[in-house]
Each structure stands twice: as C-alpha cells, then as structure tokens.
Amino acid sequence: MKPSRQRFQDFRRKVRQGLLQGDRLREPDPRSGESAGGAHHSVPSHDKHVFKFTKRRLLEEYRLMLRGYYGSVATLILVVVVSSLAALVSPFILKLLIDYVFHGKPLPVVWLLPHGGLRHWLTVSAVHGLAFLALALAAAEAISVAASWARLLAIQRLNYRLAATLRQRLHAHLATLPLGQLAEYRTGGIISRIMSDTDQVVGGVQNAIVNPTAAAFRIACILVILIATSWKLFLIAAALIPPVIVIHLLVFRRLRPLWRNIQDDRSMLSARVSDMFAGIRVVRGFRRERSEGREFGARQLTMVRKQYYTSVLGRLLMTGWSIFVPMIGIAIVWFGGQMVLAKKLTVGDLVMFETYALMLLGPITQMIDSMQNLQQNLGALDRVCDVLGQPPDMPDRTGAVALGPRKVRGDIELRDIRFGYRPEQIVLDRLNLRVPAGSTLAVVGPSGGGKTTLVNLIARFYDVSGGAILLDGVDIRDIRLQDYRRLFAMVLQDVYLFDGTVRDNIAFGRRHATAEGIQEAAKKAYAHEFIMAMEKGYDTPIGERGAKLSGGEKQRIAIARAILADPHILVLDEATSSLDTQSERLIQRSLEELMHNRTTIAIAHRLSTIMKAHLIVVLVDGRIQERGTHEELLSRRGMYHAMFTQQAQRRRAPALDLMEWEKAVK
Ligand SMILES: Nc1ncnc2c1ncn2[C@@H]1O[C@H](COP(=O)(O)OP(=O)(O)OP(=O)(O)O)[C@@H](O)[C@H]1O
Ligand SMILES: [Mg+2]
C-alpha cells in the first residue's frame, strides 16, 4: 500500500492537472458498462470520476423528489421571507431615530395614522416617538425569533420526511439489483449510500431552494433600499462586489469533484470497517489487528489531508471576503461622509446605508455557501441516482404468467443450459437434466465443479446465458419471478441467520407461522433441544451473522426454516455438511420425510444423503460426467464408484474435499 502522503500527492497532482475535473458534466456513456468493469473496487473509483448525470438532470430529480411536498416548501419559503423582512427593520428604525426623533421632528409614520389618539400622542413628545420605535423594534425582533424558529422546524420536518422516503426508495431498489452488481458495491458502499448519502441529498433542498430564495429576497430588498437612499453611494459600494464573486467562482468550480472524491473515500473506509468486523475472527486468528488498524489509519490520514486541502481551498474564498468587507465599509464612510457634509445625505441615511450595505454581505455569503454545499449535495444525489438508475435484476417479461402454487407440479427441466458469471468464463456448459415432479436429484462433484451455480440458476438468482430452464414445461423466465421463488425453500451452503431471535429466523420463510408450527419444525430439524437449552429458548437473540451458534446449530436452524416453509421445491446445498455423523443420521429421517414426494435438488458430499436419490449426477468442471441411480453408478465403476469406495473404507462418511476427489478421480 502506498503511504498516505504519496496518495495525497497523487490526489493533488490530479487536482492540478484537472484529472478530477468532474465539472464537465456528461450523460453516462452507454459503452462503458458500469457493472462489467473492474470487479475489484468496492466503491466506484474516484479517479477521473465524472458526474454521471448533468446538473440539470440532478436538479430535476430534486423537483421530482419534492412532488407532494410543494405545500411544505411554500410554507417554508413564506416563513423565510417573513423572517428576512423582520431582520431588515432595525436599521430603518435607527434612521428614524436619528433623523426624526433626535431632531424633534414628528415621525413620518404619523401621517399614515388616522387623526386622534395615537397620532396625537406620538406628536406630543419626542420620548413618545422613542417609545414607539422601541416597541416597533421589539415587535420586529419577536417576529424574527418566531419565524426563525418556525423555519428550523419546517426544514427539519421536510428533511426527515424526504430522507426517509428516499431511503425507502434506495432500499427497495437495491434489493432488486443483480447479485453481481451488489457484490460490487459491497456492504459498506450500500450502507453509506442508504444512510449518509440520503442525508446529504436532502440537505440540497435547503441549499438549492430555500436558502437561495431567502437570500435573493433579502438581497433584492436591501438593494432597493440602498438605491432609494442614494444611488451614487450605491454605485461606489457595488463596485467592490464583483471582484469577490469572480475570485469565488474560480475557486469553487474546482471543489465539487474533490468533495465527491472524499465521499468515495468515506464509503471505502466504512466498507473496510464493516468487512473487518464481519471477519474479525479471521483478523484475530491471523493477528492482523494491528496491520488492519495501521492501514485504516493511513487511509483515514489521506482522507483527512484531502478534506483539509479542500476546506483550505474553500476558505480561500472567505479570505477574499474578509479583505473586501472592510474596504466597502471604509468607502461608504469616506464618500457618504462627504455627502453628509455637503448636506446631500442625512446622518440617519448614512448610518442606515452603512448598516444595510454590510447586511448585504450576509445573504451573499449565504448564497455562495449554499452553492458550495449544494455541490456536495449534488455529489451525493449523483451517487444515489447512479444506484436508482441501475436496471433491476431480471424484470418480468411482458406477459410473464402468474403462477398459482396449487397448479404447480414441480417438474424441472434443464435444457441445454450454458452459464458463466462473466461472459469469458463458462461455468456450466450444455447441461441437460430432468427432475420429474416429486423426485430427488443429487448432485455430487469436486469443489468448484458448478454445483452451487446450478442451484443458483434453478432458483433464478441468475439467468442462464444459453438454453432454458423449464418448470412444468414453461420457461421460468416467462413466470413472474415472485411467484416462481415462492415455490422454493433452500438451505444454502453458507447459512445466513439474521440479527433477530431464533424464532424469527425459523419463521423467515413463513411469517405468520404459529409457535407450535415453529417448534414442530425445529423438532424435525433436531434443533429443539439446543434451542431450549439456550437462556431464552426460542426468543434468544442471535448475534449478527449468528456468531453465537455453532456451524451445525446454524445449519439445523436453516433446515427448520425450510421444513416450516413447506415448499414445492426443496434445495439443499450441503445442508448437513457441518453436522456430525450422529446428528446427520437423525436429521436424515426428517429430511427424507421432507423430500418425500417433493421435487428436491440436493447437493451433498456425503453418501447417506445421496444414496436414495432418484437420480445422481456427477458434475465436474461444469459438465455432467456420470448420471444414474446409486446402483447404476456403482456398477459402472467410474468416478462415483471411486468416491463411494473411498468413503466406505473410511466408514466415517467424511466430507470429501478437492484433494480427495482428485485422488479418487485419478
Ligand atoms: N458469484 C460468482 N462470481 C464469479 N464466479 C463465481 C461465483 N460463484 C462461483 N463462481 C465460480 O464458478 C465456479 C463454480 O462454483 P460453484 O460455487 O458452483 O462450485 P461448487 O461446485 O458449488 O463448489 P463447492 O463444492 O466448493 O461448493 C467456480 O470456479 C467459482 O470460482
Ligand atoms: Mg457450492
């Protein structure tokens, strides 16, 4: 791994050479097949990253997101306008104080009032005028406080709801993406997209709509007042503003790609963390804690450097401001002071002008800040849209048939199928197989031969690239996927238990199962006893990934899950591989009962599971080398025979591994 400093230098070189230029926006290039490329990087690589979507497209996305929230946005803008107006009152009151009250003149507002009480009261004494203005100021402040409070609440309410909706959409969409694609995002990438990117995205509503509207409104009001007070003085003050904006634009045009780059780093880091803790026992077992920690630290350091670099770049702009702001004030005092001396401007006007001119900087910086922040928001939205734009896995063909489970017989046929996870690597080649309804197919073969792949295809986790799989004579691609999958229950090679109770995990395939049903299934899977031995029985929480259970216990829970699901088609991929011979023999009876009259595809290394199958195939390197019943295969004296005699000699029915197979095959 490169040291952090070097990686940071690379980053700066790219920034300087414009290699990170994400600002030349473009539509996605259809040829660059996003998902096909590099299987290695977990998170989309940031090198030379280009925004996938145009800015306009992303802003349009915001509009779509806000559909249904127009009322909230309108309220928000109204509140913002009111609070802006309230904030503008005080300099004007100051002017009235200086030019009227202190000079003993009646306030100009007097002429707006009807004759009588208040009007009379105001003109009697200057102190009354002062009191009136103080009250007006207090009212303005009260409105301002109330409005900014309402603004905060309204924004948060909107943001939380938008974020939740967006998260839901992402969650739902990610669940439909092809497995290959998901493997490329990896867990960390997915988590950061669902959790932090969505928060970033909704922040954009404020930065794209609310803040600019508020700022623009305030700027407009102030400009009107300034020009009305003295347009000459205004021209002098205004001359100093353009240079600041120019400096700013130059700097921050380069910031967006940098922020995106940092975002990528962040998700890469969180992917690493989740990876490390998922495999913490391997890490400890190989004493890699320290080196993992060092690497984490180094990558973090690179990120910190980048973050710092980027904020320095951003802050340069602010420095520009801090130089120009006093200059504006000084210019106003100098030129405006001369005008006051020449009696062309009142003292109150000068004071008011100076205050408003400086108040102008607030909304201008706010506008620039929101634009700058919006770049980050757009970066996050770009990533989110990238995910949402990925086509879902195997959308149903038009005219895909619905499948009532009652009508299914469960006859599976593989007709000349070919498949590879990647086009250039064929895993299964021209496979023909038929599993008549209610019968059991056993698949055996050396590791890597394609057994799990076969199961993946039959369960339609992937689609075949040639040939077809038929259920009761219908191409499974012509059946609605949801209906098709409903027919299955599987005990997969890598058992996965969710972070919930034992009960939840058994009932995963049948959500409305009764407590008795769950117990019944667990008993058949010989899981009841060890479950009852746990402190809370069926309500014992399983740690993440079932870390608190042994391999065999996990497998028995998975088997109970399948038994409870009572499926049309049963898939067992090494379902009993982690069990000792004794428990296996016990479960075998339940499994046989389960398999009875049910289409079953069982992958097994152990003979006991295989012997009674109606058909056994030996799958080697994606091809069927032998097929037949146990007796037929034995009498053929081929590979199956070799495997059988080896296992029979051992009398322990051990799991065969690749080495043993190769020995057996030769
Ligand atoms: N998700 C995947 N992406 C790419 N290649 C894969 C994927 N899963 C499996 N393969 C490859 O496909 C081939 C067949 O793998 P498969 O898992 O089907 O073997 P298997 O017969 O189930 O082996 P085992 O007995 O060890 O479980 C292997 O060469 C493997 O590397
Ligand atoms: Mg396998």
Side-chain angles (χ1 to χ4, degrees), residues 88 91 218-219 222-223 226 234 237-238 240-241 321-333 350-366:
L88 288 179
R218 244 161 132 173
I219 291 173
I222 295 176
L223 285 184
L226 289 184
F234 168 73
L240 288 168
I241 292 176
W321 280 106
S322 55
I323 292 169
F324 276 87
V325 169
M327 286 174 68
I328 294 174
I330 293 165
I332 291 170
V333 169
L350 179 62
V351 171
M352 180 176 78
F353 193 96
E354 169 101 3
T355 323
Y356 275 131
L358 293 181
M359 272 172 92
L360 191 57
L361 295 174
I364 290 180
T365 42
Q366 191 188 31

Side-chain angles (χ1 to χ4, degrees), residues 1-16 47 265 298-299 301-303 305-306:
M1 194 188 68
K2 285 187 197 170
S4 163
R5 181 181 297 274
Q6 197 177 334
R7 262 180 289 142
F8 175 62
Q9 299 295 359
D10 285 353
F11 169 80
R12 281 188 54 186
R13 181 178 49 77
K14 279 179 194 148
V15 173
R16 256 181 271 120
D47 287 359
D265 277 13
R299 287 185 191 278
L301 188 58
T302 315
M303 191 177 78
R305 286 184 155 138
K306 288 177 181 179

Side-chain angles (χ1 to χ4, degrees), residues 448 450-453 493 573-574 603:
K451 303 181 295 295
T452 299
T453 307
Q493 197 167 13
D573 188 353
E574 306 284 359
I603 298 175

Side-chain angles (χ1 to χ4, degrees), residues 179-180 183 419-422 425-428 443-456 462 493 573-574 603 605 619 621-622 656 658:
L179 294 173
F419 176 76
Y421 291 96
R422 285 184 293 275
Q425 169 220 29
I426 295 295
V427 177
L428 294 179
V443 187
V444 297
S447 177
K451 303 181 295 295
T452 299
T453 307
L454 188 67
V455 162
N456 282 342
Y462 298 87
Q493 197 167 13
D573 188 353
E574 306 284 359
I603 298 175
H605 280 149
L619 196 63
D621 282 343
L656 278 187
L658 181 61

Side-chain angles (χ1 to χ4, degrees), residues 48-64:
K48 271 169 62 182
H49 176 82
V50 188
F51 261 51
K52 292 233 173 60
F53 299 94
T54 60
K55 202 171 183 177
R56 172 180 297 189
R57 171 69 222 294
L58 291 176
L59 290 174
E60 169 69 12
E61 194 61 36
Y62 271 120
R63 200 184 62 77
L64 293 177

Side-chain angles (χ1 to χ4, degrees), residues 376-621:
Q376 292 178 55
N377 305 137
L378 288 179
L381 183 59
D382 190 51
R383 289 153 59 91
V384 168
C385 286
D386 180 18
V387 173
L388 290 177
Q390 301 289 345
D393 198 16
M394 303 180 272
D396 284 328
R397 285 181 180 176
T398 44
V401 292
L403 205 62
R406 297 257 157 67
K407 280 184 252 141
V408 176
R409 277 180 292 123
D411 183 304
I412 294 177
E413 188 182 347
L414 277 56
R415 202 174 274 171
D416 217 17
I417 59 164
R418 276 168 73 86
F419 176 76
Y421 291 96
R422 285 184 293 275
E424 71 277 4
Q425 169 220 29
I426 295 295
V427 177
L428 294 179
D429 200 12
R430 311 217 153 258
L431 229 64
N432 282 289
L433 252 183
R434 177 135 185 269
V435 192
S439 73
T440 299
L441 166 75
V443 187
V444 297
S447 177
K451 303 181 295 295
T452 299
T453 307
L454 188 67
V455 162
N456 282 342
L457 293 178
I458 292 177
R460 216 180 158 207
F461 289 141
Y462 298 87
D463 267 341
V464 291
S465 42
I469 297 177
L470 307 149
L471 172 75
D472 296 343
V474 182
D475 190 329
I476 58 171
R477 284 167 293 186
D478 289 328
I479 300 171
R480 285 215 321 240
L481 189 60
Q482 288 301 321
D483 292 346
Y484 181 67
R485 292 237 178 94
R486 197 167 295 143
L487 305 175
F488 283 85
M490 345 187 92
V491 179
L492 296 180
Q493 197 167 13
D494 40 354
V495 173
Y496 193 94
L497 298 181
F498 291 94
D499 194 16
T501 61
V502 171
R503 183 193 308 284
D504 298 341
N505 269 287
I506 296 179
F508 199 72
R510 179 171 282 241
R511 251 161 299 165
H512 305 296
T514 60
E516 294 79 54
I518 291 172
Q519 281 207 12
E520 187 71 15
K523 277 181 187 155
K524 284 187 181 162
Y526 290 91
H528 181 72
E529 268 177 31
F530 83 80
I531 293 173
M532 290 316 286
M534 294 192 288
E535 58 224 87
K536 291 189 204 142
Y538 283 84
D539 293 315
T540 311
I542 289 177
E544 206 180 333
R545 288 171 194 241
K548 292 175 199 159
L549 294 175
S550 79
E553 287 167 344
K554 278 190 255 181
Q555 242 173 10
R556 279 181 275 173
I557 288 185
I559 291 170
R561 194 190 265 172
I563 291 176
L564 183 66
D566 188 24
H568 274 74
I569 301 167
L570 181 67
V571 173
L572 306 169
D573 188 353
E574 306 284 359
T576 54
S577 60
S578 308
L579 301 183
D580 57 289
T581 339
Q582 177 69 16
S583 339
E584 196 195 6
R585 209 162 287 152
L586 291 172
I587 287 188
Q588 201 58 41
R589 249 180 286 140
S590 307
L591 279 183
E592 270 164 28
E593 204 178 301
L594 186 65
M595 285 150 74
H596 184 68
N597 277 341
R598 196 186 302 261
T599 312
T600 304
I601 294 140
I603 298 175
H605 280 149
R606 297 215 188 145
L607 291 170
S608 47
T609 326
I610 306 165
M611 274 156 51
K612 292 187 191 140
H614 300 96
L615 176 67
I616 301 169
V617 298
V618 181
L619 196 63
V620 181
D621 282 343

